[in-house]
Amino acid sequence: MIRVRFAPSPTGNLHIGGARTALFNWLYARATGGKFVLRIEDTDQVRSKEEYLDEIRNSLQWVGFTWDEIYYQSQRFDTYRQQAQRLLDEGKAYVERSPEGKEAIIYKVTPQKIRVSDLIRGEIEFDAQTIKDQVLIKSDGTPTYNFACVIDDAQMQITHVIRGDDHISNTPKQILMYQALGFTVPLFAHLPLILGAEGGRLSKRTGATAISDYRKMGYLPQALVNYLLLLSWAPGADQELIDINEAIKRFDIKDVNKTAATFDLKKLAWINNQYIKKEDPGKLSELVVPFLREKGFTSGRALDLDYVASITKLFQERLATLADFPDWADFFFSDDVKMDEAAQKKHLSADLSREFSLFIERLDTLADFDVAGIEQTFRELVKELNIEARALIHPIRVALTGKTVGPGLFDVIYYLGKERTKKRLMQWVKRSQS
Ligand code: GLU
C-alpha cells in the first residue's frame, strides 16, 4: 500500500508551496487507494506556534486534503533519543561535548557516492565526500530535521517521499541515515520550484501568501486546488479546468513536470472566475455573505438572504473573487452611494433634470414594475425625447450606482426598487435645480 506524508513545520502559515506539496501527496494517496499522513514537525519548540498549527490544519481542511493519520514529532522525542543511542552503541555515532558541558550526538559520515532515482527528476548522484558528519541530537536534546524525518518516514512506513525541490540537498543526508539505521529507503519525488511572476523565488509580493489569506481574498477552494494542480501537472492537451475527482482518476506521479512552475495571480483569478460562474447561485450567495459583513454591510437588505441571492446572480458572471462582490454591489446594500468622481464628471455634469424627472414620472405610473416593463418605459421615453439611449443610460447608471460598469441597467433599477431609484435620481434633479 502506498503511504505518503505531508510534514509541515508549524513555524509559519501554510503557503502556496506547502499547499502544492500537500496536494500532490494527498492526490497520489487518493489516486492509488493509499494513505495520506499528516506529520507535524514541531521539534523547534521556540518557533513552533499553536496559531500556525491551527492555520495549517484549517487550511488543509478548507482545500479538502483530509488526512488519514496525524502525528506530532514533539510527542516522539523518546523514539529519536533511543535511535540515537542505538547508533552510539553500534559505534556509528559519537558524542560531542560543548565547553558548557552539553552533549550532542553526531553521526560519522563515510565517504561514498549516493544515487537517487527520483520519480520526477530521474537519476541524481550525490558525492558524500562533501557531506560533513551529521548532528542527530542537538545539545538542547532535540533531534535535527534530517534525523527525525528519517526515523518517522521509516516507522510510519512511508513509501514515497514527495516534497519540494528545496529539500533535494537533504536527500543524500537522509539516505545515509536510512543506511545507518538499517531502514528501507523510500522512493523520492521532488516537485519543481515555484517561481514568482518575475522569475525569482515566490515572494510575498508575487503570491507567497498564506492559504488562509487566499480564503479571505475570496478564492474558492476548488479553484485554488485546480490552480495548484496546473502548477506542476498538465491534465492533458490544453485542458486547464479539471475537477478534483477527475484528477484523482487521471493522476500519476510520473507525469509531474520537471521544470519550475511560475505562479501567476492573474491565471488564478481567471480560474476562480470560472468556478464562480459554475457555482450554484444559492450556494454562491451564502459564500458572499461573510464578505458583505466584513465590509460593514450588516443590516437592512444585506440580511435578506433571498435579496442577496438575487443580487449575487447579477454579478456571478464577472466576479474574479468573492471579495469583489461587496465592492461592486455596494449600492444595492447602502443608500450612501460611493461616487466615482471621474464617472460623475463625465456623465452627470450636464443638466439632465428634465430627463430624470420624466423618467421618475414614468416609473411612477408603470403598471408592472418588472425588468421588461422598466425597459419598455425607458425606450419609449428616449424615443419621445429623440435622444440616443446611451445618452441617458450612462447618467442614470452613474446616479444610481456611482459606477460606470455593472449589471444591466434595468436589472439594477428593478432590484433597487422604485422608491430607491426615484430617490437617487431626485437628488440629481435637485442638484441641477439649486
Ligand atoms: N518540515 C519540513 C518542511 O516543512 C518537511 C520536509 C519534508 O517533507 O521532508 O519543509
Side-chain angles (χ1 to χ4, degrees):
M1 158 150 5
I2 285 174
R3 289 177 58 87
V4 290
R5 82 325 188 254
F6 175 53
S9 305
T11 52
N13 290 323
L14 182 67
H15 283 71
I16 287 291
R20 187 213 33 185
T21 301
L23 164 64
F24 282 95
N25 277 285
W26 175 85
L27 182 60
Y28 193 46
R30 295 298 169 258
T32 56
K35 293 277 184 238
F36 175 59
V37 172
L38 177 60
R39 183 171 73 231
I40 305 299
E41 302 210 325
D42 52 355
T43 53
D44 186 334
Q45 293 177 317
V46 178
R47 287 172 60 232
S48 295
K49 297 261 178 322
E50 197 65 28
E51 65 196 84
Y52 294 133
L53 182 57
D54 285 342
E55 197 272 348
I56 292 168
R57 280 184 305 209
N58 291 339
S59 294
L60 289 173
Q61 262 156 355
W62 180 63
V63 286
F65 307 160
T66 45
W67 50 91
D68 303 305
E69 297 163 29
I70 184 167
Y71 302 97
Y72 297 84
Q73 286 193 327
S74 57
Q75 294 169 3
R76 296 174 45 80
F77 280 177
D78 288 348
T79 308
Y80 309 133
R81 279 191 211 112
Q82 276 161 19
Q83 294 294 336
Q85 187 59 49
R86 179 158 74 85
L87 292 183
L88 278 177
D89 296 345
E90 290 171 8
K92 293 175 181 165
Y94 57 90
V95 170
E96 200 171 74
R97 208 162 271 114
S98 74
E100 298 85 47
K102 290 208 167 134
E103 289 184 351
I105 303 177
I106 319 280
Y107 171 63
K108 245 188 289 180
V109 173
T110 349
Q112 60 186 288
K113 290 228 188 306
I114 298 159
R115 257 179 221 95
V116 183
S117 176
D118 189 281
L119 291 172
I120 298 170
R121 303 182 29 144
E123 295 291 321
I124 317 172
E125 194 177 88
F126 301 93
D127 195 347
Q129 302 283 17
T130 53
I131 300 176
K132 292 198 218 88
D133 284 0
Q134 296 290 299
V135 179
L136 305 177
I137 304 284
K138 294 182 254 182
S139 56
D140 66 0
T142 62
T144 55
Y145 153 68
N146 278 325
F147 188 51
C149 180
V150 166
I151 293 168
D152 286 351
D153 283 340
Q155 294 190 346
M156 293 165 195
Q157 297 175 309
I158 300 303
T159 55
H160 295 67
V161 171
I162 306 170
R163 62 185 170 201
D165 235 354
D166 49 330
H167 282 290
I168 200 115
S169 62
N170 287 318
T171 303
K173 297 174 190 163
Q174 294 186 1
I175 288 177
L176 287 175
M177 304 231 177
Y178 280 102
Q179 291 168 351
L181 290 158
F183 294 148
T184 314
V185 183
L187 294 171
F188 290 93
H190 288 91
L191 300 165
L193 273 181
I194 305 176
L195 304 175
E198 287 136 34
R201 292 290 296 248
L202 196 59
S203 69
K204 261 234 145 78
R205 202 169 42 80
T206 52
T209 324
I211 297 303
S212 50
D213 285 332
Y214 283 98
R215 182 180 189 170
K216 284 187 211 127
M217 288 188 276
Y219 288 91
L220 300 186
Q222 316 90 285
L224 191 61
V225 169
N226 189 144
Y227 183 66
L228 289 173
L229 265 177
L230 293 189
L231 272 183
S232 306
W233 180 62
D238 289 331
Q239 188 179 353
E240 301 204 290
L241 298 176
I242 181 161
D243 176 77
I244 193 66
N245 292 315
E246 188 57 32
I248 289 173
K249 278 190 214 141
R250 286 204 244 155
F251 180 74
D252 191 329
I253 192 79
K254 293 187 195 71
D255 300 334
V256 171
N257 300 340
K258 288 183 184 51
T259 48
T262 302
F263 187 79
D264 179 0
L265 258 178
K266 281 202 202 93
K267 182 76 170 274
L268 172 59
W270 178 80
I271 290 182
N272 205 46
N273 169 255
Q274 302 298 314
Y275 277 85
I276 288 178
K277 281 202 257 191
K278 287 202 294 206
E279 189 59 276
D280 168 69
K283 175 90 199 296
L284 191 66
S285 66
E286 282 167 26
L287 293 175
V288 301
V289 167
F291 289 86
L292 274 177
R293 304 270 188 279
E294 155 104 50
K295 282 284 168 82
F297 300 105
T298 51
S299 60
R301 284 173 213 244
L303 296 178
D304 176 347
L305 293 184
D306 289 335
Y307 187 72
V308 175
S310 305
I311 305 305
T312 307
K313 256 191 242 168
L314 296 182
F315 290 92
Q316 186 159 3
E317 283 292 308
R318 60 186 91 201
L319 293 175
T321 67
L322 301 174
D324 289 339
F325 184 72
D327 291 341
W328 295 356
D330 55 352
F331 58 89
F332 281 115
F333 301 100
S334 162
D335 288 323
D336 186 14
V337 176
K338 246 200 265 146
M339 185 55 68
D340 167 352
E341 280 176 32
Q344 176 183 340
K345 209 162 158 216
K346 185 158 176 217
H347 297 289
L348 288 169
S349 291
D351 180 1
L352 289 161
S353 50
R354 188 170 91 94
E355 291 80 354
F356 278 16
S357 301
L358 282 170
F359 188 49
I360 292 170
E361 264 171 44
R362 300 287 166 100
L363 287 179
D364 251 339
T365 54
L366 192 61
D368 295 315
F369 189 83
D370 55 21
V371 179
I374 296 164
E375 171 156 18
Q376 199 190 345
T377 299
F378 176 84
R379 303 264 175 225
E380 281 165 13
L381 179 65
V382 290
K383 208 162 164 200
E384 280 170 42
L385 292 172
N386 202 18
I387 55 174
E388 276 189 80
R390 60 189 165 86
L392 206 48
I393 281 186
H394 294 309
I396 293 179
R397 174 188 293 287
V398 176
L400 296 178
T401 71
K403 309 178 203 321
T404 51
V405 288
L409 180 63
F410 310 114
D411 286 312
V412 168
I413 294 174
Y414 175 71
Y415 285 104
L416 274 177
K418 197 189 283 185
E419 292 315 312
R420 290 202 291 173
T421 302
K422 279 166 51 183
K423 217 167 141 198
R424 289 183 195 183
L425 292 177
M426 236 5 243
Q427 279 173 1
W428 291 95
V429 172
K430 285 190 196 134
R431 264 172 93 145
S432 308
Q433 288 167 348
S434 62

